[in-house]
Amino acid sequence: MNRFLCLLLSLPLLAASPEQQVRKVLDDQVAAWNRGDIPAFMEGYDKSESTTFVSTTVTKGHAQVLAGYLKRYPTPEKMGTLRFSDLEVHALGSDYASVLGRFHLERSKEAGGEAAGIFTLLFHKTARGWKVILDHTS
């Protein structure tokens, strides 16, 4: 009985931290991108009309952000190979986190060439896990 009680009390310590959970979402997104699977990549975003992507324009709504990705990256060759670096994850209370990082796309010249930039993400902890609600990429 004592062992069971000790195990029960230690379970919260075994759970992944918010930073680890957010990093897992990012790792899953990179894996999906590199498989050429934009819908799976978009699983990291909140399926909400208020989800916002900011770049040269502002796009609102999960479906519209997905459509934008599908239009800009219609083939695995155009998608290239994605890598994130210099990630800084900061908890903003118990239900929000920010991420600052760099993205790198390796692509052939014919597919658009190499691309790189910086991004800031705002994550919200939802019933479905940590999800991006704001993405500013440049």
Side-chain angles (χ1 to χ4, degrees), residues 92-120:
L92 305 171
S94 60
D95 293 338
Y96 291 90
S98 68
V99 177
L100 176 64
R102 296 184 178 279
F103 74 89
H104 312 269
L105 275 181
E106 295 178 23
R107 300 182 291 194
S108 69
K109 210 177 268 189
E110 299 77 29
E114 305 259 335
I118 58 174
F119 61 87
T120 305

mmCIF file of all heavy atoms in Angstrom, residues 92-120:
data_model
loop_
_atom_site.group_PDB
_atom_site.id
_atom_site.type_symbol
_atom_site.label_atom_id
_atom_site.label_comp_id
_atom_site.label_asym_id
_atom_site.label_seq_id
_atom_site.Cartn_x
_atom_site.Cartn_y
_atom_site.Cartn_z
ATOM 1 N N LEU A 92 3.878 31.334 -20.009
ATOM 2 C CA LEU A 92 3.198 32.588 -19.708
ATOM 3 C C LEU A 92 1.979 32.238 -18.854
ATOM 4 O O LEU A 92 0.855 32.242 -19.334
ATOM 5 C CB LEU A 92 2.769 33.295 -20.996
ATOM 6 C CG LEU A 92 3.866 33.574 -22.024
ATOM 7 C CD1 LEU A 92 3.272 34.077 -23.327
ATOM 8 C CD2 LEU A 92 4.875 34.567 -21.464
ATOM 9 N N GLY A 93 2.225 31.852 -17.629
ATOM 10 C CA GLY A 93 1.158 31.329 -16.787
ATOM 11 C C GLY A 93 1.020 29.845 -17.028
ATOM 12 O O GLY A 93 1.890 29.203 -17.622
ATOM 13 N N SER A 94 -0.101 29.280 -16.595
ATOM 14 C CA SER A 94 -0.263 27.831 -16.697
ATOM 15 C C SER A 94 -0.851 27.378 -18.031
ATOM 16 O O SER A 94 -0.716 26.213 -18.389
ATOM 17 C CB SER A 94 -1.149 27.330 -15.559
ATOM 18 O OG SER A 94 -2.421 27.951 -15.632
ATOM 19 N N ASP A 95 -1.486 28.278 -18.796
ATOM 20 C CA ASP A 95 -2.181 27.870 -20.016
ATOM 21 C C ASP A 95 -1.650 28.497 -21.296
ATOM 22 O O ASP A 95 -2.226 28.290 -22.362
ATOM 23 C CB ASP A 95 -3.678 28.189 -19.902
ATOM 24 C CG ASP A 95 -4.373 27.355 -18.851
ATOM 25 O OD1 ASP A 95 -3.845 26.272 -18.507
ATOM 26 O OD2 ASP A 95 -5.428 27.769 -18.365
ATOM 27 N N TYR A 96 -0.581 29.279 -21.212
ATOM 28 C CA TYR A 96 -0.025 29.936 -22.393
ATOM 29 C C TYR A 96 1.491 29.811 -22.379
ATOM 30 O O TYR A 96 2.115 29.734 -21.329
ATOM 31 C CB TYR A 96 -0.412 31.428 -22.441
ATOM 32 C CG TYR A 96 -1.878 31.641 -22.699
ATOM 33 C CD1 TYR A 96 -2.775 31.719 -21.643
ATOM 34 C CD2 TYR A 96 -2.370 31.735 -23.997
ATOM 35 C CE1 TYR A 96 -4.134 31.884 -21.872
ATOM 36 C CE2 TYR A 96 -3.724 31.910 -24.230
ATOM 37 C CZ TYR A 96 -4.592 31.986 -23.164
ATOM 38 O OH TYR A 96 -5.939 32.147 -23.404
ATOM 39 N N ALA A 97 2.069 29.804 -23.566
ATOM 40 C CA ALA A 97 3.529 29.779 -23.705
ATOM 41 C C ALA A 97 3.894 30.488 -25.004
ATOM 42 O O ALA A 97 3.125 30.470 -25.975
ATOM 43 C CB ALA A 97 4.049 28.345 -23.728
ATOM 44 N N SER A 98 5.060 31.105 -25.000
ATOM 45 C CA SER A 98 5.573 31.714 -26.223
ATOM 46 C C SER A 98 6.796 30.941 -26.677
ATOM 47 O O SER A 98 7.502 30.330 -25.871
ATOM 48 C CB SER A 98 5.932 33.186 -26.001
ATOM 49 O OG SER A 98 7.050 33.300 -25.139
ATOM 50 N N VAL A 99 7.011 30.967 -27.989
ATOM 51 C CA VAL A 99 8.187 30.317 -28.577
ATOM 52 C C VAL A 99 8.814 31.303 -29.554
ATOM 53 O O VAL A 99 8.118 31.881 -30.395
ATOM 54 C CB VAL A 99 7.822 29.019 -29.328
ATOM 55 C CG1 VAL A 99 9.060 28.412 -29.994
ATOM 56 C CG2 VAL A 99 7.158 28.020 -28.396
ATOM 57 N N LEU A 100 10.105 31.473 -29.425
ATOM 58 C CA LEU A 100 10.895 32.254 -30.372
ATOM 59 C C LEU A 100 11.879 31.284 -30.997
ATOM 60 O O LEU A 100 12.478 30.468 -30.291
ATOM 61 C CB LEU A 100 11.642 33.378 -29.639
ATOM 62 C CG LEU A 100 12.598 34.231 -30.448
ATOM 63 C CD1 LEU A 100 11.835 35.016 -31.516
ATOM 64 C CD2 LEU A 100 13.347 35.184 -29.527
ATOM 65 N N GLY A 101 12.016 31.330 -32.324
ATOM 66 C CA GLY A 101 12.937 30.404 -32.963
ATOM 67 C C GLY A 101 13.230 30.772 -34.396
ATOM 68 O O GLY A 101 12.773 31.793 -34.909
ATOM 69 N N ARG A 102 14.006 29.932 -35.022
ATOM 70 C CA ARG A 102 14.374 30.096 -36.427
ATOM 71 C C ARG A 102 13.916 28.855 -37.198
ATOM 72 O O ARG A 102 13.935 27.760 -36.664
ATOM 73 C CB ARG A 102 15.883 30.244 -36.585
ATOM 74 C CG ARG A 102 16.439 31.479 -35.938
ATOM 75 C CD ARG A 102 17.941 31.617 -36.207
ATOM 76 N NE ARG A 102 18.439 32.836 -35.616
ATOM 77 C CZ ARG A 102 18.331 34.042 -36.154
ATOM 78 N NH1 ARG A 102 17.754 34.172 -37.327
ATOM 79 N NH2 ARG A 102 18.810 35.107 -35.547
ATOM 80 N N PHE A 103 13.513 29.090 -38.456
ATOM 81 C CA PHE A 103 13.187 27.964 -39.329
ATOM 82 C C PHE A 103 14.169 27.955 -40.486
ATOM 83 O O PHE A 103 14.719 28.986 -40.880
ATOM 84 C CB PHE A 103 11.736 28.039 -39.845
ATOM 85 C CG PHE A 103 11.511 29.083 -40.898
ATOM 86 C CD1 PHE A 103 11.678 28.786 -42.245
ATOM 87 C CD2 PHE A 103 11.151 30.375 -40.552
ATOM 88 C CE1 PHE A 103 11.474 29.750 -43.223
ATOM 89 C CE2 PHE A 103 10.945 31.348 -41.516
ATOM 90 C CZ PHE A 103 11.116 31.043 -42.858
ATOM 91 N N HIS A 104 14.412 26.770 -41.002
ATOM 92 C CA HIS A 104 15.307 26.563 -42.139
ATOM 93 C C HIS A 104 14.635 25.559 -43.067
ATOM 94 O O HIS A 104 14.246 24.482 -42.626
ATOM 95 C CB HIS A 104 16.657 26.003 -41.688
ATOM 96 C CG HIS A 104 17.256 26.750 -40.538
ATOM 97 N ND1 HIS A 104 18.097 27.813 -40.702
ATOM 98 C CD2 HIS A 104 17.087 26.602 -39.209
ATOM 99 C CE1 HIS A 104 18.441 28.279 -39.522
ATOM 100 N NE2 HIS A 104 17.844 27.565 -38.592
ATOM 101 N N LEU A 105 14.489 25.931 -44.326
ATOM 102 C CA LEU A 105 13.951 25.029 -45.341
ATOM 103 C C LEU A 105 15.052 24.733 -46.339
ATOM 104 O O LEU A 105 15.586 25.654 -46.961
ATOM 105 C CB LEU A 105 12.781 25.666 -46.095
ATOM 106 C CG LEU A 105 11.406 25.564 -45.504
ATOM 107 C CD1 LEU A 105 10.400 26.241 -46.427
ATOM 108 C CD2 LEU A 105 11.006 24.140 -45.247
ATOM 109 N N GLU A 106 15.375 23.470 -46.483
ATOM 110 C CA GLU A 106 16.341 23.055 -47.499
ATOM 111 C C GLU A 106 15.549 22.570 -48.703
ATOM 112 O O GLU A 106 14.753 21.635 -48.592
ATOM 113 C CB GLU A 106 17.236 21.946 -46.951
ATOM 114 C CG GLU A 106 18.117 22.406 -45.810
ATOM 115 C CD GLU A 106 18.959 21.279 -45.239
ATOM 116 O OE1 GLU A 106 19.207 20.288 -45.959
ATOM 117 O OE2 GLU A 106 19.349 21.392 -44.072
ATOM 118 N N ARG A 107 15.747 23.252 -49.832
ATOM 119 C CA ARG A 107 15.044 22.893 -51.077
ATOM 120 C C ARG A 107 15.998 23.093 -52.246
ATOM 121 O O ARG A 107 16.915 23.902 -52.187
ATOM 122 C CB ARG A 107 13.833 23.797 -51.309
ATOM 123 C CG ARG A 107 12.794 23.752 -50.256
ATOM 124 C CD ARG A 107 11.625 24.630 -50.614
ATOM 125 N NE ARG A 107 11.999 26.039 -50.575
ATOM 126 C CZ ARG A 107 11.138 27.040 -50.582
ATOM 127 N NH1 ARG A 107 9.849 26.794 -50.669
ATOM 128 N NH2 ARG A 107 11.540 28.289 -50.539
ATOM 129 N N SER A 108 15.706 22.374 -53.317
ATOM 130 C CA SER A 108 16.477 22.568 -54.539
ATOM 131 C C SER A 108 16.167 23.943 -55.114
ATOM 132 O O SER A 108 15.137 24.557 -54.789
ATOM 133 C CB SER A 108 16.125 21.491 -55.568
ATOM 134 O OG SER A 108 14.792 21.694 -56.034
ATOM 135 N N LYS A 109 17.053 24.415 -55.970
ATOM 136 C CA LYS A 109 16.842 25.701 -56.632
ATOM 137 C C LYS A 109 15.532 25.696 -57.412
ATOM 138 O O LYS A 109 14.773 26.663 -57.400
ATOM 139 C CB LYS A 109 18.021 25.990 -57.563
ATOM 140 C CG LYS A 109 18.322 27.463 -57.735
ATOM 141 C CD LYS A 109 19.543 27.670 -58.601
ATOM 142 C CE LYS A 109 20.762 27.750 -57.712
ATOM 143 N NZ LYS A 109 21.965 28.160 -58.454
ATOM 144 N N GLU A 110 15.252 24.571 -58.068
ATOM 145 C CA GLU A 110 14.040 24.438 -58.879
ATOM 146 C C GLU A 110 12.770 24.503 -58.026
ATOM 147 O O GLU A 110 11.710 24.904 -58.508
ATOM 148 C CB GLU A 110 14.050 23.117 -59.661
ATOM 149 C CG GLU A 110 15.199 22.966 -60.644
ATOM 150 C CD GLU A 110 16.524 22.627 -59.971
ATOM 151 O OE1 GLU A 110 16.542 21.987 -58.898
ATOM 152 O OE2 GLU A 110 17.562 23.022 -60.525
ATOM 153 N N ALA A 111 12.862 24.121 -56.763
ATOM 154 C CA ALA A 111 11.696 24.103 -55.864
ATOM 155 C C ALA A 111 11.547 25.404 -55.078
ATOM 156 O O ALA A 111 10.677 25.507 -54.234
ATOM 157 C CB ALA A 111 11.793 22.921 -54.916
ATOM 158 N N GLY A 112 12.420 26.378 -55.350
ATOM 159 C CA GLY A 112 12.322 27.656 -54.644
ATOM 160 C C GLY A 112 13.565 28.041 -53.887
ATOM 161 O O GLY A 112 13.670 29.153 -53.377
ATOM 162 N N GLY A 113 14.504 27.125 -53.776
ATOM 163 C CA GLY A 113 15.751 27.427 -53.091
ATOM 164 C C GLY A 113 15.619 27.396 -51.576
ATOM 165 O O GLY A 113 14.536 27.249 -51.028
ATOM 166 N N GLU A 114 16.747 27.534 -50.936
ATOM 167 C CA GLU A 114 16.783 27.532 -49.478
ATOM 168 C C GLU A 114 15.997 28.725 -48.947
ATOM 169 O O GLU A 114 15.942 29.778 -49.577
ATOM 170 C CB GLU A 114 18.233 27.634 -48.999
ATOM 171 C CG GLU A 114 19.136 26.561 -49.556
ATOM 172 C CD GLU A 114 19.406 25.446 -48.587
ATOM 173 O OE1 GLU A 114 19.314 25.656 -47.371
ATOM 174 O OE2 GLU A 114 19.702 24.342 -49.061
ATOM 175 N N ALA A 115 15.391 28.556 -47.789
ATOM 176 C CA ALA A 115 14.657 29.635 -47.133
ATOM 177 C C ALA A 115 14.922 29.541 -45.635
ATOM 178 O O ALA A 115 15.092 28.445 -45.093
ATOM 179 C CB ALA A 115 13.170 29.536 -47.421
ATOM 180 N N ALA A 116 14.952 30.690 -44.996
ATOM 181 C CA ALA A 116 15.176 30.730 -43.553
ATOM 182 C C ALA A 116 14.564 32.005 -43.004
ATOM 183 O O ALA A 116 14.363 32.978 -43.728
ATOM 184 C CB ALA A 116 16.674 30.667 -43.239
ATOM 185 N N GLY A 117 14.259 31.979 -41.736
ATOM 186 C CA GLY A 117 13.709 33.157 -41.093
ATOM 187 C C GLY A 117 13.490 32.914 -39.615
ATOM 188 O O GLY A 117 13.948 31.912 -39.063
ATOM 189 N N ILE A 118 12.795 33.850 -38.999
ATOM 190 C CA ILE A 118 12.503 33.748 -37.573
ATOM 191 C C ILE A 118 10.993 33.676 -37.372
ATOM 192 O O ILE A 118 10.223 34.072 -38.245
ATOM 193 C CB ILE A 118 13.108 34.925 -36.781
ATOM 194 C CG1 ILE A 118 12.573 36.264 -37.302
ATOM 195 C CG2 ILE A 118 14.615 34.894 -36.824
ATOM 196 C CD1 ILE A 118 13.021 37.457 -36.483
ATOM 197 N N PHE A 119 10.599 33.150 -36.226
ATOM 198 C CA PHE A 119 9.173 33.076 -35.920
ATOM 199 C C PHE A 119 8.940 33.265 -34.434
ATOM 200 O O PHE A 119 9.826 33.020 -33.609
ATOM 201 C CB PHE A 119 8.556 31.752 -36.396
ATOM 202 C CG PHE A 119 9.146 30.524 -35.755
ATOM 203 C CD1 PHE A 119 8.656 30.036 -34.546
ATOM 204 C CD2 PHE A 119 10.185 29.839 -36.368
ATOM 205 C CE1 PHE A 119 9.190 28.911 -33.967
ATOM 206 C CE2 PHE A 119 10.729 28.703 -35.794
ATOM 207 C CZ PHE A 119 10.225 28.235 -34.586
ATOM 208 N N THR A 120 7.754 33.721 -34.129
ATOM 209 C CA THR A 120 7.253 33.801 -32.762
ATOM 210 C C THR A 120 5.899 33.108 -32.752
ATOM 211 O O THR A 120 5.053 33.384 -33.606
ATOM 212 C CB THR A 120 7.078 35.270 -32.306
ATOM 213 O OG1 THR A 120 8.299 35.960 -32.484
ATOM 214 C CG2 THR A 120 6.653 35.333 -30.856
#
